[in-house]
Amino acid sequence: DMPKIPVYFDHPDVITSFTAARALPPGHVSVTDLFEDYLPSDHPLNLDEMLQNPSEYELPLGHPDFADMMDVRHLETPSIAVYFDHPNATESFIAGRALPSGHVSVTEMFEDYLPPDHPLNLDEMMQNPTDYELPLGHPDFSTMMKVEELDLPMIAVYFDHPNVTESFKAGRPLPPGHVSVTDMLEEYLPPGHPLNLDGMLQNPSKYQLPLGHPDFADMIVLKTLKEISIPVYFHHPNVTTSFKAGRPLPPGHVSVTDMLDDFLPPNHPLNLNEMLQNPTEYVLPLGHPDFAEMMTIETLNLPSIS
């Protein structure tokens, strides 16, 4: 009849310890008391003495594995709220990356969840990870964390605003004169997020977005432009098709700049006539409205021929 002794995840493997002559630690509960009711009649009773002096004894062939007599207790797992930019604590610890200065006390967060005999100096351990080693079977720190949902801003931009995530990854800097991104986003940043957003976006090649960073596109909503309705007759060519095909605005055409300058978003080029007269030198940005949507076909006053 095999016993099932409850232990925590950090209990060492007893056979490995015994074979390696690692002694039972001082203050350990009496193994004799735990097992005496399960021992066969001819088994030695001095279990504590044997485990305290393992180099003087040898396990007989066929001795049951101590692991089969243990039942690992499930710890109450904490759920610590962190933001997307929190590093993987297990990976950081194994890689020897120290807890950053000013981090909240890990000891205070976890002390209510630690198994008996677990070291209490968690802050000191995390600040000096190269001096310690996680025991086999230690729970992954990531299982103790839940990612907080951020309150994402909704910034209104026009169709011609570039994709910020793509621009940042490609190393394209924020253009001169852009409104302050820091001012727009600082109230939405998680604790510990760098505040020098303008400096980062002006020098994107010096920074890297952390894994899991929200896509900037999720923070942007397109502004609806003032509706344009230019009357043309049925035989007016499709402007988008003509522009993409490199067909220039015909001589004598009315000024497109004059017609549309009241409807343009901020920072839109104003030289519309020049652009339409030399379409091969320009490219419509992704998301540009179709020119056809800005036109209404005039109804002709048709004759009635009898």
Side-chain angles (χ1 to χ4, degrees):
D1 183 15
M2 296 279 282
K4 294 300 280 185
I5 308 298
V7 297
Y8 287 99
F9 70 86
D10 56 347
H11 194 286
D13 183 282
V14 184
I15 287 199
T16 303
S17 296
F18 188 88
T19 306
R22 289 196 289 270
L24 196 69
H28 193 284
V29 296
S30 170
V31 179
T32 302
D33 292 347
L34 289 173
F35 283 87
E36 61 185 346
D37 292 341
Y38 301 94
L39 298 177
S41 55
D42 56 347
H43 193 289
L45 291 176
N46 59 333
L47 303 189
D48 294 323
E49 197 276 332
M50 296 171 76
L51 289 165
Q52 286 157 1
N53 300 280
S55 60
E56 298 177 17
Y57 300 90
E58 188 174 345
L59 283 178
L61 192 66
H63 190 285
D65 191 326
F66 294 116
D68 296 333
M69 310 174 202
M70 295 179 177
D71 180 31
V72 177
R73 285 184 180 177
H74 290 286
L75 289 172
E76 183 185 355
T77 303
S79 184
I80 308 297
V82 298
Y83 287 99
F84 70 87
D85 55 347
H86 193 286
N88 183 300
T90 302
E91 290 179 4
S92 294
F93 187 89
I94 292 173
R97 291 193 290 270
L99 195 71
S101 55
H103 192 284
V104 295
S105 171
V106 179
T107 303
E108 291 177 7
M109 285 195 290
F110 282 87
E111 61 188 345
D112 292 340
Y113 302 93
L114 299 176
D117 303 323
H118 191 289
L120 291 176
N121 59 331
L122 303 190
D123 294 320
E124 196 275 331
M125 296 171 79
M126 305 288 285
Q127 285 156 2
N128 301 279
T130 54
D131 296 342
Y132 300 91
E133 188 173 347
L134 284 179
L136 191 66
H138 191 286
D140 191 318
F141 296 120
S142 63
T143 61
M144 309 173 200
M145 296 176 178
K146 67 169 185 178
V147 176
E148 289 257 294
E149 294 292 328
L150 283 176
D151 182 17
L152 289 178
M154 292 307 290
I155 308 297
V157 299
Y158 288 100
F159 69 86
D160 56 346
H161 194 285
N163 182 298
V164 185
T165 302
E166 289 179 5
S167 295
F168 188 87
K169 289 180 177 177
R172 292 193 291 270
L174 198 70
H178 192 284
V179 295
S180 170
V181 178
T182 303
D183 291 347
M184 286 194 290
L185 299 187
E186 60 185 343
E187 64 184 279
Y188 300 95
L189 299 177
H193 191 290
L195 292 176
N196 62 329
L197 304 189
D198 295 322
M200 296 172 79
L201 289 165
Q202 286 156 1
N203 301 278
S205 58
K206 296 182 181 177
Y207 300 92
Q208 187 172 355
L209 285 179
L211 192 66
H213 191 285
D215 193 321
F216 295 115
D218 295 336
M219 308 175 203
I220 290 173
V221 59
L222 289 183
K223 280 186 179 179
T224 304
L225 289 172
K226 192 191 300 185
E227 191 172 333
I228 309 168
S229 183
I230 308 294
V232 297
Y233 287 104
F234 68 89
H235 63 309
H236 192 287
N238 183 298
V239 184
T240 303
T241 304
S242 296
F243 186 88
K244 290 181 176 178
R247 292 195 289 270
L249 198 70
H253 193 285
V254 295
S255 170
V256 178
T257 302
D258 291 346
M259 285 193 292
L260 299 186
D261 59 359
D262 290 338
F263 301 93
L264 299 177
N267 302 320
H268 190 289
L270 294 177
N271 59 332
L272 303 189
N273 293 331
E274 196 274 332
M275 295 171 80
L276 290 164
Q277 285 157 1
N278 301 279
T280 56
E281 297 177 19
Y282 301 91
V283 178
L284 284 180
L286 193 65
H288 191 285
D290 192 320
F291 295 114
E293 295 170 0
M294 309 176 200
M295 297 177 177
T296 56
I297 304 294
E298 287 263 285
T299 304
L300 287 174
N301 186 16
L302 292 176
S304 179
I305 309 295
S306 57

